[in-house]
Coordinates of all heavy atoms in Angstrom, one line a residue:
M1 N 66.5 109.4 135.6 CA 65.6 109.2 136.6 C 65.2 110.6 137.3 O 66.0 111.5 137.3 CB 66.5 108.5 137.9 CG 65.7 108.2 139.1 SD 66.6 107.1 140.2 CE 65.3 106.4 141.0
Q2 N 64.0 110.6 137.7 CA 63.3 111.9 138.2 C 63.4 111.9 139.7 O 63.3 110.8 140.4 CB 61.9 112.0 137.7 CG 61.8 112.2 136.2 CD 60.4 112.4 135.8 OE1 59.4 112.2 136.5 NE2 60.1 112.7 134.6
F3 N 63.6 113.1 140.2 CA 63.6 113.4 141.6 C 62.8 114.7 141.9 O 63.0 115.6 141.2 CB 65.1 113.6 142.2 CG 65.9 112.3 142.1 CD1 66.6 112.0 141.0 CD2 66.0 111.4 143.3 CE1 67.3 111.0 140.9 CE2 66.7 110.4 143.2 CZ 67.4 110.1 142.0
I4 N 62.0 114.6 142.9 CA 61.2 115.8 143.3 C 61.8 116.5 144.5 O 62.2 115.8 145.5 CB 59.7 115.5 143.5 CG1 58.9 116.8 143.8 CG2 59.6 114.5 144.7 CD1 57.4 116.6 143.7
L5 N 62.0 117.8 144.5 CA 62.4 118.6 145.6 C 61.2 119.3 146.1 O 60.6 119.9 145.3 CB 63.5 119.6 145.1 CG 63.7 120.7 146.2 CD1 64.6 120.2 147.4 CD2 64.4 121.9 145.6
I6 N 61.0 119.2 147.4 CA 60.1 120.0 148.1 C 60.9 120.9 149.1 O 61.4 120.3 150.0 CB 58.9 119.3 148.8 CG1 58.2 118.5 147.7 CG2 58.0 120.3 149.5 CD1 57.1 117.6 148.2
G7 N 61.0 122.1 148.9 CA 61.8 123.1 149.8 C 60.8 123.9 150.6 O 59.9 124.6 150.0
H8 N 60.8 123.8 151.9 CA 60.1 124.6 152.8 C 60.9 125.7 153.3 O 61.9 125.6 153.9 CB 59.6 123.8 154.0 CG 58.9 122.5 153.6 ND1 57.5 122.4 153.5 CD2 59.3 121.2 153.4 CE1 57.2 121.2 153.1 NE2 58.3 120.5 153.0
D9 N 60.4 127.1 153.0 CA 61.1 128.2 153.4 C 61.2 128.4 154.9 O 60.3 127.9 155.5 CB 60.5 129.5 152.9 CG 60.5 129.6 151.3 OD1 61.1 128.7 150.7 OD2 60.1 130.7 150.8
K10 N 62.3 129.0 155.3 CA 62.4 129.2 156.7 C 61.4 130.3 157.1 O 60.8 131.0 156.2 CB 63.7 129.7 157.1 CG 64.3 131.0 156.5 CD 65.7 131.3 156.9 CE 66.1 132.6 156.3 NZ 67.6 132.9 156.7
E11 N 61.1 130.5 158.4 CA 60.1 131.4 158.8 C 60.5 132.8 158.5 O 61.7 133.1 158.5 CB 59.9 131.3 160.3 CG 58.7 132.1 160.8 CD 58.4 131.8 162.3 OE1 58.7 130.6 162.6 OE2 57.8 132.7 163.0
D12 N 59.6 133.5 157.9 CA 59.9 134.9 157.5 C 60.9 135.0 156.3 O 61.7 135.8 156.2 CB 60.4 135.8 158.6 CG 59.3 136.0 159.7 OD1 58.1 136.0 159.3 OD2 59.6 136.0 160.8
G13 N 60.9 133.9 155.4 CA 61.8 133.9 154.3 C 61.5 134.6 153.1 O 62.3 134.7 152.1
L14 N 60.4 135.2 153.1 CA 59.9 135.9 151.9 C 60.8 137.0 151.4 O 61.1 137.1 150.2 CB 58.4 136.4 152.0 CG 57.8 137.0 150.8 CD1 57.8 136.0 149.5 CD2 56.4 137.5 151.1
A15 N 61.3 137.8 152.3 CA 62.2 138.9 151.9 C 63.5 138.3 151.3 O 63.9 138.7 150.2 CB 62.6 139.7 153.0
L16 N 64.0 137.3 151.8 CA 65.2 136.5 151.3 C 64.9 136.0 149.9 O 65.7 136.1 149.0 CB 65.8 135.5 152.2 CG 67.0 134.7 151.7 CD1 68.2 135.6 151.4 CD2 67.4 133.6 152.7
R17 N 63.8 135.3 149.8 CA 63.4 134.8 148.5 C 63.3 135.8 147.4 O 63.8 135.6 146.4 CB 61.9 134.1 148.7 CG 61.3 133.6 147.4 CD 60.0 132.9 147.7 NE 60.2 131.6 148.1 CZ 60.3 130.5 147.5 NH1 60.3 130.6 146.0 NH2 60.5 129.3 147.9
K18 N 62.7 136.9 147.8 CA 62.6 138.0 146.7 C 64.0 138.6 146.5 O 64.3 138.8 145.3 CB 61.8 139.2 147.3 CG 60.3 138.8 147.3 CD 59.5 139.9 147.9 CE 58.0 139.7 147.9 NZ 57.2 140.8 148.5
E19 N 64.9 138.6 147.4 CA 66.2 139.2 147.2 C 67.1 138.4 146.2 O 67.8 138.8 145.5 CB 66.9 139.3 148.6 CG 68.4 139.7 148.6 CD 69.0 139.7 149.9 OE1 68.3 140.1 150.9 OE2 70.2 139.6 150.0
I20 N 67.0 137.1 146.4 CA 67.8 136.1 145.5 C 67.1 135.4 144.3 O 67.7 134.7 143.7 CB 68.5 135.1 146.5 CG1 67.6 134.2 147.3 CG2 69.5 135.7 147.4 CD1 68.1 133.1 148.0
R21 N 65.8 135.9 144.1 CA 65.1 135.2 143.1 C 65.7 135.4 141.7 O 65.8 134.4 141.0 CB 63.7 135.9 143.0 CG 62.8 135.1 142.0 CD 61.3 135.6 142.1 NE 60.4 134.8 141.3 CZ 60.1 135.2 140.0 NH1 60.6 136.4 139.5 NH2 59.3 134.4 139.4
A22 N 66.3 136.5 141.4 CA 66.9 136.7 140.1 C 68.1 135.6 139.9 O 68.2 135.1 138.8 CB 67.4 138.1 139.8
S23 N 68.9 135.5 140.9 CA 70.0 134.5 140.7 C 69.5 133.1 140.7 O 70.0 132.3 140.0 CB 71.0 134.7 141.8 OG 70.4 134.5 143.0
H24 N 68.4 132.7 141.5 CA 67.7 131.5 141.3 C 67.2 131.2 140.0 O 67.5 130.1 139.4 CB 66.6 131.4 142.4 CG 65.7 130.3 142.2 ND1 65.9 129.0 142.5 CD2 64.4 130.3 141.8 CE1 64.9 128.2 142.2 NE2 63.9 129.1 141.8
L25 N 66.6 132.3 139.3 CA 66.1 132.0 138.0 C 67.2 131.9 137.0 O 67.1 131.1 136.0 CB 65.1 133.2 137.6 CG 63.9 133.2 138.4 CD1 63.0 134.5 137.9 CD2 63.0 132.0 138.3
T26 N 68.3 132.6 137.1 CA 69.4 132.5 136.3 C 70.0 131.0 136.4 O 70.3 130.3 135.4 CB 70.5 133.5 136.6 OG1 70.1 134.7 136.4 CG2 71.8 133.2 135.9
Y27 N 70.1 130.5 137.6 CA 70.5 129.1 137.8 C 69.6 128.1 137.1 O 70.1 127.1 136.4 CB 70.7 128.8 139.3 CG 71.1 127.4 139.5 CD1 72.3 126.9 139.2 CD2 70.1 126.6 140.2 CE1 72.5 125.5 139.4 CE2 70.4 125.2 140.4 CZ 71.7 124.7 140.1 OH 72.0 123.4 140.3
L28 N 68.2 128.3 137.3 CA 67.4 127.4 136.6 C 67.5 127.5 135.2 O 67.4 126.3 134.5 CB 66.0 127.7 137.0 CG 65.6 127.6 138.5 CD1 64.1 127.9 138.7 CD2 65.9 126.3 139.1
R29 N 67.7 128.6 134.5 CA 68.0 128.6 133.0 C 69.2 127.9 132.7 O 69.2 127.2 131.6 CB 68.1 130.1 132.6 CG 66.8 130.8 132.6 CD 66.9 132.2 132.1 NE 65.7 132.9 132.4 CZ 65.6 133.9 133.5 NH1 66.6 134.0 134.3 NH2 64.5 134.5 133.6
E30 N 70.2 127.8 133.5 CA 71.4 127.1 133.2 C 71.3 125.7 133.2 O 72.0 125.0 132.5 CB 72.6 127.5 134.2 CG 73.0 129.0 134.1 CD 73.9 129.4 135.3 OE1 74.2 128.6 136.2 OE2 74.4 130.6 135.3
I31 N 70.3 125.3 134.1 CA 70.1 123.8 134.2 C 68.8 123.3 133.6 O 68.3 122.2 134.0 CB 70.3 123.2 135.7 CG1 69.2 123.9 136.5 CG2 71.7 123.6 136.2 CD1 69.0 123.2 137.9
A32 N 68.2 124.1 132.7 CA 66.9 123.8 132.3 C 66.7 122.5 131.7 O 65.7 121.9 131.8 CB 66.5 125.0 131.2
S33 N 67.7 122.0 131.0 CA 67.6 120.6 130.4 C 67.4 119.6 131.4 O 67.1 118.5 131.1 CB 68.9 120.4 129.5 OG 70.0 120.3 130.3
Q34 N 67.7 119.8 132.8 CA 67.6 119.0 133.8 C 66.3 119.1 134.7 O 66.2 118.4 135.7 CB 68.8 118.9 134.6 CG 70.0 118.4 133.8 CD 71.3 118.5 134.6 OE1 71.9 119.6 134.8 NE2 71.7 117.5 135.2
I35 N 65.4 120.0 134.2 CA 64.3 120.3 135.0 C 63.1 119.8 134.3 O 62.9 120.2 133.0 CB 64.1 121.8 135.3 CG1 65.2 122.2 136.2 CG2 62.8 122.0 136.0 CD1 65.3 123.7 136.5
V36 N 62.2 119.1 134.8 CA 61.0 118.5 134.1 C 59.9 119.6 134.4 O 59.3 120.0 133.3 CB 60.5 117.2 134.8 CG1 59.2 116.8 134.1 CG2 61.6 116.2 134.6
F37 N 59.7 120.1 135.5 CA 58.8 121.2 135.8 C 59.1 121.7 137.2 O 59.6 120.9 138.0 CB 57.3 120.9 135.5 CG 56.7 119.8 136.3 CD1 56.0 120.0 137.5 CD2 56.8 118.6 135.8 CE1 55.5 119.1 138.3 CE2 56.3 117.4 136.6 CZ 55.6 117.7 137.8
G38 N 58.5 122.8 137.6 CA 58.6 123.3 139.0 C 58.0 124.6 139.1 O 57.5 125.3 138.2
G39 N 58.0 125.1 140.4 CA 57.6 126.4 140.7 C 57.4 126.6 142.2 O 57.7 125.7 143.0
P40 N 57.0 127.8 142.6 CA 56.7 128.1 144.0 C 55.5 127.4 144.5 O 54.5 127.2 143.8 CB 56.7 129.5 144.0 CG 56.1 129.9 142.7 CD 56.7 129.0 141.8
I41 N 55.6 127.1 145.8 CA 54.4 126.7 146.6 C 53.9 127.9 147.1 O 54.6 128.6 147.9 CB 54.8 125.6 147.7 CG1 55.5 124.3 147.0 CG2 53.7 125.2 148.5 CD1 56.2 123.4 148.0
L42 N 52.6 128.1 147.0 CA 51.9 129.3 147.5 C 51.1 129.1 148.7 O 50.4 128.1 148.9 CB 51.1 129.9 146.3 CG 51.8 130.2 145.0 CD1 50.7 130.7 143.9 CD2 52.9 131.1 145.1
G43 N 51.0 130.1 149.5 CA 50.1 130.2 150.6 C 48.7 130.7 150.2 O 48.5 131.0 149.0
D44 N 47.8 130.6 151.1 CA 46.4 131.1 150.8 C 46.4 132.5 150.4 O 45.5 133.0 149.6 CB 45.5 130.9 152.0 CG 45.3 129.4 152.3 OD1 45.4 128.5 151.4 OD2 44.9 129.0 153.5
D45 N 47.4 133.3 150.8 CA 47.4 134.7 150.5 C 48.1 134.8 149.1 O 48.2 136.1 148.5 CB 48.1 135.5 151.4 CG 49.6 135.1 151.7 OD1 50.1 134.1 151.0 OD2 50.3 135.7 152.5
G46 N 48.6 133.8 148.4 CA 49.3 133.9 147.1 C 50.7 134.2 147.2 O 51.4 134.1 146.1
A47 N 51.3 134.3 148.3 CA 52.7 134.5 148.5 C 53.4 133.2 148.5 O 53.0 132.3 149.1 CB 53.0 135.4 149.8
P48 N 54.6 133.2 147.9 CA 55.4 132.0 148.0 C 55.9 131.6 149.4 O 56.4 132.5 150.0 CB 56.4 132.1 146.9 CG 56.5 133.6 146.7 CD 55.3 134.1 147.1
Y49 N 55.9 130.4 149.7 CA 56.5 130.0 151.0 C 57.3 128.7 150.8 O 57.8 128.1 151.7 CB 55.6 129.8 152.1 CG 54.6 128.7 152.0 CD1 54.8 127.5 152.6 CD2 53.4 128.8 151.3 CE1 54.0 126.4 152.6 CE2 52.4 127.8 151.3 CZ 52.8 126.6 151.8 OH 51.9 125.5 151.8
G50 N 57.5 128.3 149.6 CA 58.3 127.1 149.4 C 58.5 126.9 147.9 O 58.1 127.7 147.0
S51 N 59.3 125.7 147.6 CA 59.5 125.4 146.1 C 59.3 124.0 145.9 O 59.5 123.2 146.8 CB 60.9 125.8 145.8 OG 61.3 127.2 145.9
M52 N 58.9 123.8 144.7 CA 58.8 122.3 144.2 C 59.4 122.2 142.8 O 59.0 123.0 141.9 CB 57.3 121.9 144.2 CG 57.0 120.5 143.8 SD 57.3 119.9 142.0 CE 56.3 121.0 141.2
I53 N 60.4 121.4 142.7 CA 61.0 121.1 141.4 C 61.2 119.7 141.1 O 61.7 118.9 142.0 CB 62.4 121.9 141.3 CG1 62.3 123.3 141.5 CG2 63.1 121.5 139.9 CD1 63.7 124.2 141.7
V54 N 60.9 119.3 139.9 CA 61.2 117.9 139.5 C 62.3 117.9 138.6 O 62.4 118.7 137.5 CB 60.0 117.2 138.8 CG1 60.3 115.8 138.3 CG2 58.8 117.1 139.7
Y55 N 63.4 117.3 139.0 CA 64.7 117.2 138.3 C 64.8 115.9 137.5 O 64.3 114.8 137.9 CB 66.0 117.2 139.1 CG 66.0 118.5 140.0 CD1 65.6 118.5 141.3 CD2 66.6 119.6 139.5 CE1 65.8 119.7 142.0 CE2 66.7 120.8 140.2 CZ 66.3 120.8 141.5 OH 66.4 122.0 142.3
E56 N 65.5 115.9 136.4 CA 65.8 114.7 135.7 C 67.4 114.6 136.0 O 68.2 115.5 135.5 CB 65.7 114.8 134.2 CG 66.0 113.6 133.4 CD 65.0 112.4 133.6 OE1 63.8 112.7 133.7 OE2 65.5 111.3 133.9
A57 N 67.8 113.5 136.6 CA 69.2 113.4 137.0 C 69.7 112.0 137.0 O 68.8 111.1 137.0 CB 69.5 113.9 138.5
E58 N 70.9 111.8 136.8 CA 71.5 110.4 136.6 C 71.2 109.5 137.8 O 70.9 108.4 137.7 CB 73.0 110.5 136.3 CG 73.6 109.2 136.1 CD 75.1 109.4 135.8 OE1 75.4 110.2 135.0 OE2 75.8 108.5 136.2
D59 N 71.4 110.2 139.0 CA 71.2 109.5 140.3 C 71.0 110.4 141.4 O 70.9 111.6 141.2 CB 72.4 108.5 140.6 CG 73.7 109.3 140.5 OD1 73.8 110.5 140.8 OD2 74.8 108.7 140.3
R60 N 70.7 109.9 142.5 CA 70.5 110.8 143.7 C 71.6 111.8 144.0 O 71.3 112.9 144.3 CB 70.2 110.0 145.0 CG 69.7 110.8 146.1 CD 69.5 110.0 147.4 NE 69.0 110.8 148.4 CZ 67.8 111.3 148.5 NH1 66.8 110.9 147.6 NH2 67.2 112.1 149.4
A61 N 72.8 111.4 143.8 CA 73.9 112.3 144.1 C 73.9 113.5 143.2 O 74.1 114.6 143.5 CB 75.3 111.5 144.1
A62 N 73.6 113.2 141.9 CA 73.4 114.3 140.9 C 72.4 115.3 141.2 O 72.5 116.5 141.1 CB 73.3 113.7 139.5
A63 N 71.2 114.7 141.7 CA 70.0 115.5 142.1 C 70.4 116.4 143.3 O 70.0 117.5 143.4 CB 68.8 114.7 142.4
E64 N 71.1 115.8 144.2 CA 71.5 116.5 145.5 C 72.5 117.7 145.1 O 72.4 118.8 145.7 CB 72.3 115.6 146.4 CG 71.3 114.6 147.1 CD 72.0 113.6 147.9 OE1 73.3 113.4 147.9 OE2 71.3 112.9 148.7
R65 N 73.3 117.5 144.0 CA 74.2 118.5 143.5 C 73.4 119.7 143.0 O 73.7 120.9 143.2 CB 75.3 118.0 142.6 CG 76.3 117.3 143.2 CD 77.5 117.0 142.3 NE 77.2 116.1 141.2 CZ 77.1 114.9 141.2 NH1 77.5 114.2 142.3 NH2 76.8 114.1 140.1
L66 N 72.4 119.3 142.2 CA 71.5 120.3 141.6 C 70.8 121.2 142.6 O 70.7 122.4 142.5 CB 70.4 119.6 140.7 CG 70.8 119.1 139.4 CD1 69.9 118.2 138.7 CD2 71.4 120.1 138.5
V67 N 70.3 120.6 143.7 CA 69.8 121.2 144.8 C 70.8 122.1 145.6 O 70.6 123.3 145.8 CB 69.0 120.3 145.7 CG1 68.5 121.0 147.0 CG2 68.0 119.5 145.0
A68 N 71.9 121.6 145.8 CA 72.9 122.3 146.6 C 73.4 123.6 145.8 O 73.8 124.5 146.5 CB 74.1 121.4 146.9
N69 N 73.5 123.5 144.5 CA 74.1 124.6 143.8 C 73.0 125.7 143.5 O 73.3 126.7 142.9 CB 74.6 124.0 142.4 CG 75.8 123.2 142.7 OD1 76.6 123.5 143.5 ND2 76.1 122.2 141.7
D70 N 71.8 125.4 144.0 CA 70.7 126.4 143.7 C 71.0 127.6 144.7 O 71.2 127.4 145.9 CB 69.4 125.8 143.9 CG 68.2 126.7 143.6 OD1 68.2 127.9 144.0 OD2 67.3 126.3 142.8
P71 N 70.9 128.9 144.3 CA 71.1 130.0 145.1 C 70.1 130.0 146.4 O 70.5 130.5 147.4 CB 70.9 131.2 144.3 CG 71.3 130.7 142.9 CD 70.9 129.3 142.8
Y72 N 68.9 129.4 146.2 CA 68.0 129.3 147.3 C 68.6 128.5 148.5 O 68.6 128.9 149.6 CB 66.6 128.8 146.9 CG 65.7 129.8 146.2 CD1 64.4 129.3 145.7 CD2 66.0 131.1 146.1 CE1 63.6 130.2 145.2 CE2 65.1 132.1 145.6 CZ 64.0 131.5 145.1 OH 63.0 132.4 144.5
S73 N 69.2 127.4 148.0 CA 69.9 126.5 149.1 C 71.2 127.2 149.6 O 71.4 127.1 150.8 CB 70.3 125.2 148.3 OG 69.2 124.4 148.0
Q74 N 71.9 127.7 148.7 CA 73.2 128.4 149.1 C 73.0 129.5 150.0 O 74.0 129.7 150.8 CB 74.0 128.8 147.8 CG 74.5 127.6 147.0 CD 75.3 128.1 145.8 OE1 75.1 129.1 145.3 NE2 76.0 127.0 145.3
N75 N 71.9 130.2 150.0 CA 71.6 131.4 150.8 C 70.8 131.0 152.0 O 70.4 132.0 152.7 CB 71.1 132.5 150.0 CG 72.1 133.0 149.0 OD1 72.9 134.0 149.5 ND2 72.1 132.7 147.7
G76 N 70.5 129.8 152.3 CA 69.8 129.4 153.5 C 68.3 129.7 153.5 O 67.7 129.8 154.5
L77 N 67.6 129.7 152.3 CA 66.3 130.0 152.3 C 65.5 128.9 153.0 O 64.5 129.1 153.6 CB 65.7 130.3 150.8 CG 64.3 130.5 150.6 CD1 63.8 131.7 151.4 CD2 63.9 130.6 149.2
F78 N 65.9 127.7 152.7 CA 65.1 126.6 153.1 C 65.3 126.1 154.5 O 66.4 125.9 154.9 CB 65.2 125.3 152.3 CG 64.9 125.5 150.7 CD1 65.7 125.3 149.7 CD2 63.6 126.1 150.4 CE1 65.5 125.5 148.4 CE2 63.3 126.3 149.0 CZ 64.3 126.1 148.1
A79 N 64.2 126.0 155.4 CA 64.3 125.4 156.6 C 64.4 123.9 156.5 O 65.1 123.3 157.4 CB 63.1 125.8 157.4
R80 N 63.8 123.4 155.5 CA 63.7 121.9 155.4 C 63.5 121.6 153.9 O 62.8 122.3 153.2 CB 62.7 121.3 156.2 CG 62.5 119.9 156.3 CD 61.4 119.4 157.3 NE 60.1 120.0 157.1 CZ 59.1 119.3 156.3 NH1 59.3 118.2 155.7 NH2 57.9 119.9 156.2
T81 N 64.2 120.5 153.5 CA 64.0 120.1 152.1 C 63.7 118.5 152.1 O 64.2 117.8 153.1 CB 65.2 120.2 151.2 OG1 66.3 119.7 151.7 CG2 65.4 121.8 151.1
E82 N 63.0 118.1 151.1 CA 62.7 116.7 150.9 C 63.2 116.4 149.5 O 62.8 117.3 148.5 CB 61.2 116.3 151.0 CG 60.7 116.6 152.4 CD 59.2 116.4 152.4 OE1 58.8 115.2 152.0 OE2 58.5 117.3 152.8
L83 N 63.9 115.4 149.2 CA 64.4 115.0 147.9 C 64.1 113.6 147.7 O 64.6 112.7 148.4 CB 65.8 115.3 147.6 CG 66.3 115.1 146.2 CD1 65.6 116.0 145.2 CD2 67.8 115.2 146.1
R84 N 63.1 113.2 146.8 CA 62.6 111.9 146.7 C 62.6 111.4 145.2 O 62.4 112.3 144.3 CB 61.2 111.7 147.2 CG 61.0 112.2 148.6 CD 61.3 111.0 149.5 NE 61.0 111.4 150.9 CZ 61.5 111.1 151.9 NH1 62.7 110.3 151.8 NH2 61.3 111.5 153.1
P85 N 62.9 110.1 144.9 CA 62.6 109.7 143.6 C 61.2 110.0 143.2 O 60.2 110.0 144.0 CB 62.9 108.2 143.7 CG 63.8 108.0 144.8 CD 63.3 109.1 145.8
F86 N 60.8 110.2 141.9 CA 59.6 110.7 141.3 C 59.3 110.1 140.1 O 60.3 109.9 139.3 CB 59.5 112.1 141.5 CG 58.2 112.7 141.0 CD1 57.2 112.8 141.9 CD2 58.0 113.2 139.7 CE1 56.0 113.4 141.6 CE2 56.7 113.8 139.3 CZ 55.7 113.8 140.3
K87 N 58.1 109.9 139.7 CA 57.8 109.4 138.4 C 56.5 110.2 137.8 O 55.5 110.2 138.5 CB 57.5 107.9 138.4 CG 57.0 107.4 137.0 CD 56.6 106.0 137.1 CE 56.2 105.5 135.7 NZ 55.6 104.0 135.7
T88 N 56.7 110.9 136.7 CA 55.7 111.6 136.1 C 54.7 110.7 135.5 O 55.1 109.9 134.6 CB 56.1 112.7 135.1 OG1 57.0 113.5 135.9 CG2 55.1 113.4 134.6
V89 N 53.4 110.6 135.9 CA 52.5 109.7 135.3 C 51.5 110.5 134.3 O 51.1 110.0 133.3 CB 51.7 108.9 136.3 CG1 50.6 108.1 135.6 CG2 52.6 108.0 137.0
I90 N 51.2 111.8 134.7 CA 50.3 112.6 133.9 C 50.9 114.0 133.8 O 51.4 114.5 134.9 CB 48.9 112.5 134.4 CG1 48.0 113.3 133.3 CG2 48.8 113.1 135.8 CD1 46.5 113.3 133.7
R91 N 51.0 114.5 132.6 CA 51.5 115.9 132.4 C 50.8 116.5 131.2 O 50.7 115.9 130.1 CB 53.1 115.8 132.2 CG 53.6 117.2 132.1 CD 55.0 117.3 132.2 NE 55.5 118.6 131.9 CZ 56.7 119.0 131.6 NH1 57.5 117.9 131.4 NH2 57.0 120.1 131.5
D92 N 50.3 117.7 131.4 CA 49.6 118.4 130.3 C 48.5 117.6 129.7 O 48.3 117.6 128.4 CB 50.6 118.8 129.2 CG 51.7 119.8 129.8 OD1 51.4 120.5 130.7 OD2 52.9 119.7 129.3
G93 N 47.8 116.8 130.5 CA 46.6 116.1 130.0 C 47.0 114.8 129.4 O 46.1 114.0 129.1
A94 N 48.3 114.4 129.2 CA 48.7 113.1 128.7 C 49.1 112.3 129.9 O 49.8 112.5 130.7 CB 49.9 113.4 127.8
V95 N 48.5 110.9 129.8 CA 48.8 109.9 130.7 C 50.0 109.0 130.1 O 49.8 108.5 129.1 CB 47.6 109.2 131.1 CG1 48.0 108.0 132.1 CG2 46.6 109.9 131.7
N96 N 51.1 108.8 131.0 CA 52.1 108.0 130.5 C 52.4 107.0 131.6 O 53.3 107.3 132.6 CB 53.4 108.9 130.3 CG 53.2 109.8 129.2 OD1 52.8 109.5 128.0 ND2 53.4 111.1 129.4
P97 N 51.7 105.9 131.8 CA 51.9 105.0 132.9 C 53.2 104.4 133.0 O 54.1 104.2 132.7 CB 50.8 103.9 132.6 CG 50.4 104.1 131.2 CD 50.8 105.4 130.8

């Protein structure tokens, strides 16, 4: 089952995001088989101010653990997160209804 995370950085979170980005990327590599796709949410200035990741997880509890174990979560980068069930319908130009 897929779950989408939308993480909204806390105000002035860019410095923290940059500080822990390497550990965040290491974590994503460790769980790569459970990630469908993802990346930063960018502001009009091109700077990241949030994250979006689609996970493949057995259930909501498993998805919540993936989010909780991310260095971005563990270091308090997000002011608010949303985690919702998700279904990929189109990806890379292919439609899968």
Side-chain angles (χ1 to χ4, degrees):
M1 180 173 204
Q2 292 179 353
F3 292 87
I4 187 170
L5 164 73
I6 300 174
H8 303 268
D9 291 6
K10 65 183 181 180
E11 192 171 328
D12 299 322
L14 185 57
L16 177 60
R17 174 180 280 274
K18 288 179 178 180
E19 178 183 324
I20 57 179
R21 184 172 188 265
S23 59
H24 165 71
L25 293 176
T26 296
Y27 175 69
L28 294 183
R29 286 182 193 97
E30 291 170 2
I31 64 164
S33 66
Q34 294 175 278
I35 297 176
V36 180
F37 61 94
I41 301 169
L42 305 177
D44 292 337
D45 62 357
Y49 71 91
S51 295
M52 186 285 307
I53 300 175
V54 176
Y55 299 100
E56 187 69 45
E58 183 177 317
D59 54 27
R60 183 178 189 82
E64 288 172 349
R65 284 190 297 276
L66 291 169
V67 174
N69 290 328
D70 189 313
Y72 280 175
S73 296
Q74 292 178 340
N75 287 279
L77 175 62
F78 299 131
R80 182 170 59 91
T81 60
E82 299 173 55
L83 185 65
R84 304 271 187 219
F86 184 80
K87 179 180 178 184
T88 300
V89 174
I90 185 165
R91 182 167 177 198
D92 299 328
V95 177
N96 299 303

